[in-house]
Amino acid sequence: RNGYASGLAYDIDMSKAPEILGTIAGSDTILAVMREDITIEEARELKAISDNLVKYCDEYNIPKGIMHIEKSAYRDCRNLRKVDIPDTVEVIGNYAFENCPDLRYAIVRGKDTKIRPNVFENCPYIRIHCSRANDQLLGVAHVVGWPTFFID
């Protein structure tokens, strides 16, 4: 999932976990540089936490610079209530936020961000906050029945 690893690496870096000195994100992999005294068991525990980092968030700001949110990238994030998608995101892939039942607010800041009708599948309370200039998103929202509010 392009962009997913870099977004998680950013969150890991921002968490200021004392065990982690820094991260390097690949296209679908994160290399975490840990302190020398960390045991294998502690490293495994940290990996499990980072794998589920977004799944336990109630708010998530996708890092600016991410251009694509891949298919099913944030699927099954059951605690997620709000997601803020920066204007750098050009495409939100199919089922990107599927089965996020508590997701209430998606702020889509891009004027040209492309979105698919099934992006928020099984998100019954979703409200889209977007630019008036994003005709494609507004068209999809109208057809699917998502309530929309304007941020500009």
Side-chain angles (χ1 to χ4, degrees):
R1 303 180 208 172
N2 291 335
Y4 187 68
S6 62
L8 285 177
Y10 176 82
D11 285 342
I12 292 168
D13 287 338
M14 294 297 105
S15 74
K16 307 288 188 211
E19 302 86 357
I20 300 175
L21 300 176
T23 61
I24 301 169
S27 62
D28 64 355
T29 310
I30 300 170
L31 172 67
V33 180
M34 298 191 184
R35 282 193 346 245
E36 193 174 347
D37 61 330
I38 298 298
T39 66
I40 299 245
E41 291 78 27
E42 289 171 320
R44 285 189 180 129
E45 185 178 320
L46 285 167
K47 182 191 179 310
I49 291 168
S50 68
D51 284 348
N52 291 302
L53 189 61
V54 175
K55 294 210 183 283
Y56 296 107
C57 290
D58 63 351
E59 271 188 38
Y60 187 64
N61 296 326
I62 294 174
K64 195 162 178 70
I66 300 296
M67 296 175 64
H68 296 90
I69 298 174
E70 296 298 320
K71 178 180 179 181
S72 303
Y74 300 96
R75 185 170 142 203
D76 295 324
C77 293
R78 300 202 171 270
N79 296 324
L80 191 62
R81 295 179 54 84
K82 177 182 173 188
V83 63
D84 195 329
I85 302 167
D87 59 0
T88 57
V89 173
E90 298 171 356
V91 177
I92 303 172
N94 291 323
Y95 304 103
F97 295 94
E98 178 186 26
N99 294 328
C100 298
D102 286 339
L103 186 57
R104 306 226 188 268
Y105 306 102
I107 302 167
V108 183
R109 298 190 181 280
K111 291 182 167 78
D112 298 314
T113 302
K114 303 286 185 266
I115 194 167
R116 309 286 185 264
N118 53 18
V119 164
F120 298 106
E121 190 80 17
N122 297 323
C123 299
Y125 305 109
I126 191 67
R127 293 180 181 166
I128 309 297
H129 297 257
C130 65
S131 168
R132 292 179 194 276
N134 193 328
D135 293 332
Q136 191 271 339
L137 187 148
L138 290 171
V140 170
H142 176 73
V143 169
V144 177
W146 297 327
T148 53
F149 302 88
F150 300 114
I151 57 176
D152 56 0

